[in-house]
Every structure is written in structure tokens, then in C-alpha cells.
């Protein structure tokens, strides 16, 4: 067998909340002005009540509303796939499984949280959402979710991407979203995730019909993504495995990694590994301290690994991994020693991505390529040691809108 | 339920051959010089023996080799999906199902034949394949299959597409293929499918280690595609349906339509419908006669509906439907009255594709949009008549590499 499906009825009906399961509790986010813990009231202008509650919830399981389950069933449960041809090419005794999140309409794991975020805003009477997007993965996901729940979506897109990657913009517009380059007030500025967050937050704060929506970092986002790991657990059983020895995923803001890894946190013998780019080495080289989530310092202070909120990562192709900080939950797990972190330069990443494409067939996103690089090295280590390791990773997205990056790699124009 | 899967073990182990089931036999292909029926010997320089046999086979079922089944299992069986949100938006009593062929690594149904073609060439000692591609769907599929069976693949790509659609070229190169703009000897010529076929045939004819490979039209290609319809039959049973009332698919060369429709030919109460563009109306406006498969007149004469081998279709976005002729099998079924044909202008097609994206989530290829247009009209007719029709169509490919076309449509720049 190559692939294991779950019946739609086996889609989880509750998200897995790691917060009450942490032996040491998370540091609270602090208000940027007072440096006191943020209150629900502080967040109310930007987020619906349900998401604010989830952000701080101590319930071990959080029910998934029926309408959200219905929408997730458009593509979930996603397949668990065994990468047999890659195993054979590596001559490894390791068994390599991946959760294929690229099958979502937007092509990545991002809709797992875009859908509930749109839903909770809709039922609380919000008519319109604003958000930022870098390369466009998150913006695409939110426009897709907005189309399902009849919400207007306004996306502030980093101007350099807006100009260089028109396909992502068109995808957002196909779902009915409207896209504007950021910064809105400086037409010659190339923009950054920082300027786009500022534009989106300002938009939401200035309109009573509009909320703001964020695609990673926050606790409720990671909560929504746990459907990935919960499904994978069931599917590994179907595949006859007791469980994984190691779980890996690429880590930018942390939602993809959190989604597959958090349900395994209580399983103490399972290694959890974050894979990041050497050019933006938040977990491997950053400091663990309170820092702003954005460049302008508008967001709460978060306790996390950070390269400094004014750090500008080089323009690597894995745009989703270019973030100065990391989800507080992921940072905490690394700090506590429950999770490992490893970094790779992008040349080695694309080498792995091309090997994957030529054995397994599918062309992955550059972000996903980071996980695949680490998986291949784990599998080769298993061969070296002669052990039958079970490796699980998150195939977080396809690379069909990132082919220019492959072109650079194949023609030798890719800097590390 | 939204989606029905089949176990990998339920992947068909034989292809469905419609040839022995036709009440009136197909007219044979004729040699372009002698106008006598083509012999296996005539075809031997270009194709492996197994494919030549399949081209003329009268066996009702043709076994699928184990290694081909193994490779198809990388993505097959594909899901059967019920388009519930589209049904709700249309307020139709019709039940709409589609076979999702976009989940293949190359993003369309094309690998269903690329894989067996690569396999049969490989086991007969061929080292290298040449082919042509227009927009790049077929070239991508053959490069993917070449990577699986360690065959060199040389793709002659229409120069205009080579220059305007670099992503498809990069995809082919990622799988290890090499791509050259056609015509090779006239660097200022924009090229056409006709010039590219000539370049590819010349390449194969001039090298003993090389065969030629074709992605549509021929009997063996349609044979390989019947896995689509065979799986759909089983999956409709799982969905609790006795069978479809009508089966629809876009029709260019005919492989996608043949794939889903041929297994239903013996079910006489099932309507079969070909959907084509009004700008290239082969079945609805063409003549049924012997004509060449290519512009230069190098191929055998085929008995088919044709607009004339020198017909140059307008440059519509559904590049896969720009063919002057049609598969002899499809042409025969239309001629005999077993299959209907309908044509749409591309504006109406994109309107349907966008409605589909905003209800079902996924963005389809422009070719697939033709089928969706016809499906929506069938569903609206069912509402008008108040009948619970079961509609089945082939979702032949995704539109992620066709977003420029959506941009033209959404910004009002699309001519019909």
C-alpha cells in the first residue's frame, strides 16, 4: 500500500489543545504599551470571542463546529502516503510516511485554520476580514475560506511579491478576494511582511465591520492545525505502525509543524523536529525572549525564539519560512527540550526536493523541501545505524506556483 | 459524504477495450502514401510492439502490467467527488459527481497513458522518447513517467508556449526532461502543434534508441485512460447510485472523454456527451472523413471528424482542446449516434469555472471548465424538468498553471 485514507466520518470532531498538557506553562503575551498580560478585551477589536477564548483555553479538547467540519470535508481527511520509491532510492530500512496537506484547494495546510477563522467571524456578525500575505499562501487560503462563508476578504500583499508573483494574486481574486500591494501609502516601497501586517491591522482597527486574521504563530492557529497530527495517528495505525519514531516539519511561524507535531507531544518517546532555513535560523540561532510579532511593534510581545523584530531575512524562495520569530508554543517546546531544531541552506533543500520529485512524482513547495531534506538525512542515518525507523513528516504544500525557484536551482542560479 | 475512495487493490487490473464492442467496426487508419490500411510494420519504427498490438486489439480486456499498476498507485485510484456545494448553489435536484484526475503528479489525466507508454518502451529496450507538447500538459506527464522508468525524454514545445509559459518547461525539467522550442530550424517561428509533431517524429525516426510517444487521439491512448471510467463505476456504487444518467467531459483529442465515457458505452441508457470550444468545433461543425493527424501530413490518415488538417484554431486558453481532428473512436461514436456533442464559447466556460471555484473550492484547468459549463447547464435543465438526474463528469486537470487565463477573464480581457 502507498496511501491510507480515513472515512470522512473519521475527521476529528475536536482539536487537540497542547496548553493544558505542558508541564511548564507558556509565558503570557504582554501588552506592547503596558507590558502587562494581554486581556481578552485588548484583543476584541481584532478577533472574534471564540478565537480569543481558544487562544487562552485550558480545555484539553476543543469541539470543531459542524459547519467547519462540513467545509473541511471538501478535502479532509487528507491522505497519509508512504514514500516507498524514495525509500528504495535511498536503500534505507526506514519507513517514510507523509501527511499530504497539498491536496487542499489552496494547495497547503493553511485552509485548516482559514476555514474556522472565517466561520467564527461570520457567526459573530463580521462581514469582512483583512489580512497580510507574503508570497501568497495564507492570503489564498483566507480568500478560499471567505468564499465558502460569504465574507469579503481584503489581502495586503508584500509589493515585491504582488509584482513578481501575479499568479497568487489571481488565485485570490478567483475566489473573490481583493488584493492590494503593501505598503499602501508608499508606491515605490517593495514592502515586507511587517508593512503588510501593519496595513491589515490598521484596516481592521478602522472599520467596525472588519476583523483581522492571522495565519500562523498564535495558539488558536496551531490548535486548528492539529487535525493533521490527529488524522496521521489514526492512519499510521491503519498502516500497521505502532507510531512514528520521529516527526518532522518545516518551521516558519510554526503552524505546519505544530499541526503535525502537537498531538505527539504526550508520546514521550517520539522525537519532534523543527526544520528551518539557515538564512532565517530562529530556533537554532535566535534568542529566547519577549519580542514583537511584527516589525512596527504594534502586536503584543510574545515569549519566543527571535532574531529580533527588525531582522530582515534574505529573500530565499521559501517565503513562508522568512519570519524573525516563532510560535510561542513551538519556542516553548524547543526551550524545554521536548523538540529539536535543525537548519539547512536552500541549495541542499532543492537537491532534496528534486530527488523527491523524480522518485515520488510530486513537486513540493520550497518550504516543504526543508522537511524532505531532513527526512532524507534521517533515513540515511537509519541506514548507517541499520535501524527500522518510522519517519513521519508534513507535506505542507505543492510547488506548482514556485516553479521559478526550481528553474533557478536547475540552472545553477540559486544562492544558499 | 463528499468523496469516495477505492482501495489501492481495487485499481483495475485490465483496461476496457471498446473496439470489439462496437456494432459497426472502426474504419482502419490508412498509410499516407499508399492509402492502404496501415500495418504493424509501418508503425514499428515509432512505437513498441505492445502498443501497436493494443492499437488494433480485439480483446475485450487488456491486462495492465504489474509495474504499471504499481506506478499508477502513486495517485490512483483517484477520488470520486460529489459537488454538493455546487448543487446547493444551483438549487438543482441533480446529483453531480466528478472523477478528480487533477490529483496526479502532473496535474491531469495525461499520466494514465504516459506511464504505460514509458513502461512498454522501457521493456522493449528503448532508451529515449520524443514527443511534442503545446501548452505543456502532455509533455509534463511524459517527463514524469520517464523519471519513474529511467528513460530520457525529449519534448518539442510549441515556441510561443515555450516563451510565454516557462513554468511548464520548468516542471518538465524538474522531472529530468529536456525541452526545446519548435520549430527547431526556424528560431523566429512561433510554432504550432503541427510543427512540434513533425520535430518529434523526425527525432524518433532518425535515432535507433528513440521512440515517439503521443498523448491523445490513438486507440491505445484511450484504452489506457479507461481506468477513469472503470473506477468511477465502482465508486458510484459505493455512493449508492445505480449509475449515471449522463457522462460528460471536455473533448480535444478525445483521451479524457474516452477515459471516462468508454466503459459506459455498453450501458445504452447512459447519455455520453462531448464538450468542445466553439472556436474549434470539430465534432459539432467538422466533416467526418479521412484526414491527416498533423499539419504536415506525415501521419496516417484517420477516419474522424475534422476541420481540415490545415485548420488553425484561435489561440484560446484551453490549449488542450485546440485540435483540428478527434480520436477515431470518439468520432465513430458521435457518427453512430451513441455520443452527443456540444460547444461553448470560452467566456461562458470561465464563468462556470469561477462559479465552481467559489463553491467547491478548486480551480480547474480551462479544458475542464468546458465540462463544468455543460454540467451546470444539465443541472439547471434537471431543475427545470424537476428530475433527479445523476451527472458524472471528468475533472481532467487543475488550473494552477493557467491562472493568467483567469486573470484575463476576471479583468474583462477575455475574447470568446
Amino acid at each position: 500500500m502507498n496511501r491510507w485514507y480515513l472515512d470522512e466520518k473519521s475527521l476529528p470532531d475536536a482539536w487537540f489543545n497542547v496548553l493544558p498538557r505542558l508541564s511548564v506553562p507558556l509565558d503570557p503575551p504582554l501588552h506592547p504599551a503596558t507590558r502587562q498580560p494581554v486581556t481578552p478585551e485588548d484583543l476584541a477589536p481584532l478577533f472574534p470571542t471564540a478565537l480569543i477564548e481558544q487562544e487562552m483555553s485550558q480545555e484539553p479538547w476543543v469541539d470543531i463546529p459542524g459547519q467547519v467540519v462540513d467545509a473541511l470535508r471538501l478535502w479532509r481527511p487528507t491522505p497519509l502516503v508512504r514514500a516507498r520509491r524514495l525509500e528504495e532510492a535511498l536503500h534505507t530500512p526506514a519507513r517514510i510516511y507523509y501527511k499530504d496537506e497539498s491536496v487542499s484547494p489552496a494547495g497547503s495546510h493553511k485552509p485548516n485554520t482559514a476555514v474556522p477563522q472565517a466561520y467564527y467571524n461570520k457567526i459573530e456578525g463580521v462581514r469582512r476580514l483583512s489580512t497580510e500575505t507574503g508570497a501568497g499562501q495564507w492570503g489564498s487560503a483566507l480568500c478560499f475560506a471567505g468564499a465558502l462563508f460569504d465574507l469579503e476578504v481584503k489581502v495586503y500583499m508584500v509589493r515585491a511579491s504582488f509584482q513578481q508573483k501575479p499568479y497568487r494574486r489571481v488565485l485570490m481574486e478567483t475566489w473573490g478576494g481583493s488584493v492590494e500591494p503593501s505598503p499602501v501609502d508608499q508606491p515605490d516601497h517593495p514592502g515586507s511582511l511587517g508593512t503588510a501586517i501593519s496595513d491589515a491591522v490598521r484596516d481592521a482597527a478602522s472599520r467596525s465591520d472588519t476583523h483581522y486574521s492571522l495565519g500562523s504563530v498564535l495558539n488558536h492557529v496551531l490548535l486548528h492545525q492539529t487535525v493533521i497530527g490527529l488524522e496521521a495517528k489514526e492512519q499510521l495505525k491503519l498502516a500497521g505502525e505502532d507510531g512514528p519514531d520521529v516527526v518532522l516539519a518545516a518551521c516558519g511561524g510554526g503552524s505546519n509543524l505544530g499541526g503535525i507535531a502537537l498531538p505527539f507531544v504526550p508520546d514521550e518517546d517520539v522525537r519532534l523536529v523543527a526544520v528551518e532555513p539557515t538564512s532565517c535560523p530562529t530556533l537554532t540561532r535566535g534568542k529566547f525572549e519577549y519580542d514583537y510579532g511584527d516589525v512596527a511593534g504594534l502586536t503584543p510581545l510574545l515569549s519566543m525564539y527571535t532574531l529580533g523584530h527588525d531582522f530582515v531575512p534574505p529573500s530565499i524562495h521559501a517565503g513562508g519560512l522568512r519570519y524573525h520569530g516563532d510560535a510561542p508554543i513551538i519556542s516553548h517546546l524547543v526551550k524545554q527540550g521536548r523538540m529539536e531544531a535543525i537548519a539547512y541552506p536552500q541549495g541542499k533543500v532543492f537537491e532534496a526536493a528534486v530527488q523527491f520529485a523524480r522518485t515520488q512524482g510530486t513537486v513540493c513547495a520550497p518550504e516543504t523541501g526543508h522537511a524532505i531534506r531532513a527526512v532524507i538525512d534521517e533515513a540515511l542515518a537509519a541506514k548507517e545505524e541499520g535501524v527500522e525507523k518510522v519517519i513521519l513528516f508534513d507535506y505542507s504544500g505543492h510547488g506548482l506556483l514556485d516553479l521559478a525557484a526550481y528553474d533557478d536551482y536547475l540552472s545553477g542560479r540559486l544562492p544558499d
Side-chain angles (χ1 to χ4, degrees), chain A residues 89-390:
Chain A
L90 298 172
H91 303 289
T92 177
R95 298 191 289 283
I96 302 174
Y97 295 89
Y98 64 91
K99 191 66 175 151
D100 188 359
E101 293 297 308
S102 77
V103 300
S104 81
S108 79
H109 65 293
K110 293 286 186 189
N112 295 332
T113 184
V115 164
Q117 289 194 43
Y119 167 79
Y120 287 119
N121 277 290
K122 179 74 179 182
I123 60 165
E124 293 193 21
V126 169
R127 206 184 56 74
R128 186 172 170 277
L129 293 175
S130 72
T131 198
E132 73 285 334
T133 202
Q137 279 282 14
W138 167 242
S140 307
L142 197 65
C143 289
F144 155 68
L148 295 185
F149 291 102
D150 199 21
L151 283 169
E152 230 179 89
V153 178
K154 175 67 178 263
V155 180
Y156 295 92
M157 186 171 187
V158 174
R159 180 170 279 108
S161 295
F162 182 89
Q163 290 166 341
Q164 291 158 19
K165 302 189 174 181
Y167 271 22
R168 278 275 171 206
R169 169 183 61 73
V170 178
L171 193 54
M172 293 186 259
E173 291 172 350
T174 299
W175 283 311
S178 81
V179 188
E180 192 174 338
S182 170
V184 293
D185 51 0
Q186 299 172 65
D188 297 327
H189 192 298
S192 70
L193 218 42
T195 69
I197 294 179
S198 304
D199 281 332
V201 169
R202 250 182 243 120
D203 179 312
S206 69
R207 291 181 58 152
S208 64
D209 66 345
T210 300
H211 268 167
Y212 170 66
S213 190
L214 193 69
S216 192
V217 177
L218 299 180
N219 299 345
H220 69 268
V221 177
L222 273 63
L223 177 78
H224 299 158
Q225 293 290 355
T226 58
V227 289
I228 304 173
L230 292 170
E231 288 176 8
K233 275 197 166 187
E234 293 306 308
Q235 289 164 309
L236 279 172
K237 280 183 212 158
L238 293 180
E241 301 290 0
D242 290 335
D245 293 298
V246 53
V247 178
L248 304 99
C251 187
S255 76
N256 147 50
L257 172 63
I260 197 159
L262 295 186
F264 292 99
V265 165
D267 306 343
E268 288 175 14
D269 50 346
V270 178
R271 285 172 55 213
L272 307 177
V273 183
V275 191
E276 61 182 17
T278 47
S279 56
C280 191
T282 315
L283 296 168
T284 50
R285 309 281 298 271
K287 282 187 189 158
F288 186 83
E289 60 189 15
Y290 269 105
D291 196 7
Y292 298 103
D294 69 328
V295 178
L298 297 175
T299 72
L301 288 155
L302 302 173
S303 173
M304 61 183 180
Y305 281 97
T306 174
L307 297 162
H309 63 276
D310 54 355
F311 176 79
V312 180
S315 174
I316 57 166
H317 284 294
L321 307 184
R322 294 179 66 237
Y323 186 60
H324 69 275
D326 231 310
I329 289 175
I330 297 295
S331 297
H332 181 88
L333 290 170
V334 172
K335 179 73 177 168
Q336 297 292 321
R338 178 66 190 89
M339 184 178 273
E340 306 161 35
I342 185 172
Y344 283 107
Q346 67 177 348
K348 298 282 284 176
V349 164
F350 276 92
E351 181 189 294
V354 168
Q355 183 171 16
F356 193 87
R358 292 184 184 176
T359 50
Q360 290 297 125
T362 54
V363 176
C364 70
E367 290 83 356
T368 311
H370 285 74
I372 293 174
R373 172 75 270 164
V375 165
I376 290 176
D377 288 354
E378 280 284 340
L380 292 174
K383 177 165 84 173
E384 197 88 348
E385 299 159 24
V387 291
E388 284 196 23
K389 212 181 288 184
V390 176

